[in-house]
Amino acid sequence: MALRKIRTIGDDILSKHCREVTELKHRQRVLIRDMLDTMYESQGVGLAAPQVGVLRQIIVIDVTEEGDSPIVLINPQILELSGEQTDQEACLSVPGKSGAVTRANYAKVKALNEKMEEVIIEGEGLLARALQHEIDHLSGVLYVSKVEGELLDVEKE
Ligand code: ZN
């Protein structure tokens, strides 16, 4: 298991656009493994490559309580959004904070999987929120720019 350092708000890399992945080389496979390890270790539900300092279009998500259903998406593109949900959102790159964000309640996303095969992922609720949040990271957007009202301090457990 290898953990990567999570970049935090204020780091320029978080506001940059990520490049597409055209070929999955060993280096990117290691990156994906490390991103999953880092996400689980930090008890996050998602992580995008720029959060660990790599400007590539790769995201990982796992919204299950068991934490045994990782979703790896390469070059993800939103095909469809519908409905609306407002809920507290947080980000491993904005430690100790959360804020209310309104997002679509349903998202349909096209991407490549770890075998570079095209996949379609559909999600509602938390999964739809995580998809939108992580895909935003790939174009340099943090949820804090979408927060309604105050960014709140989260109590440490
Ligand atoms: Zn985030």
Side-chain angles (χ1 to χ4, degrees):
M1 180 161 110
L3 301 178
R4 304 241 178 161
K5 184 176 181 287
I6 297 178
R7 306 295 184 97
T8 53
I9 188 166
D11 190 320
D12 275 353
I13 204 157
L14 293 173
S15 57
K16 295 191 169 153
H17 278 262
C18 294
R19 283 178 296 153
E20 277 195 5
V21 176
T22 50
E23 189 187 352
L24 211 57
K25 297 181 186 144
H26 177 70
R27 194 156 39 115
Q28 275 94 37
R29 291 182 195 282
V30 172
L31 168 68
I32 289 167
R33 289 297 116 200
D34 291 353
M35 284 172 66
L36 287 166
D37 288 344
T38 305
M39 173 182 76
Y40 287 125
E41 179 70 18
S42 313
Q43 301 185 340
V45 297
L47 193 68
Q51 293 183 273
V52 294
V54 180
L55 288 172
R56 287 287 179 177
Q57 294 181 20
I58 301 173
I59 64 174
V60 297
I61 291 174
D62 190 339
V63 296
T64 65
E65 287 212 358
E66 299 77 20
D68 57 2
S69 304
I71 298 170
V72 175
L73 299 177
I74 297 162
N75 304 339
Q77 280 185 296
I78 290 177
L79 297 180
E80 200 180 319
L81 295 173
S82 65
E84 201 175 277
Q85 56 169 324
T86 303
D87 209 342
Q88 290 296 310
E89 201 161 303
C91 177
L92 295 174
S93 292
V94 189
K97 301 282 181 185
S98 84
V101 181
T102 298
R103 301 223 185 236
N105 190 51
Y106 165 86
K108 184 175 183 180
V109 170
K110 181 175 86 169
L112 299 173
N113 66 14
E114 283 176 278
K115 296 175 186 161
M116 294 298 270
E117 299 162 339
E118 192 173 301
V119 290
I120 301 280
I121 298 278
E122 288 179 284
E124 291 188 338
L126 182 57
L127 178 54
R129 174 174 296 279
L131 286 164
Q132 293 166 81
H133 176 117
E134 301 310 331
I135 290 171
D136 271 354
H137 273 297
L138 304 181
S139 47
V141 174
L142 292 180
Y143 86 95
V144 294
S145 66
K146 299 185 170 179
V147 165
E148 295 147 34
E150 302 268 313
L151 199 58
L152 306 171
D153 289 316
V154 183
E155 282 181 45
K156 287 257 161 80
E157 284 175 31

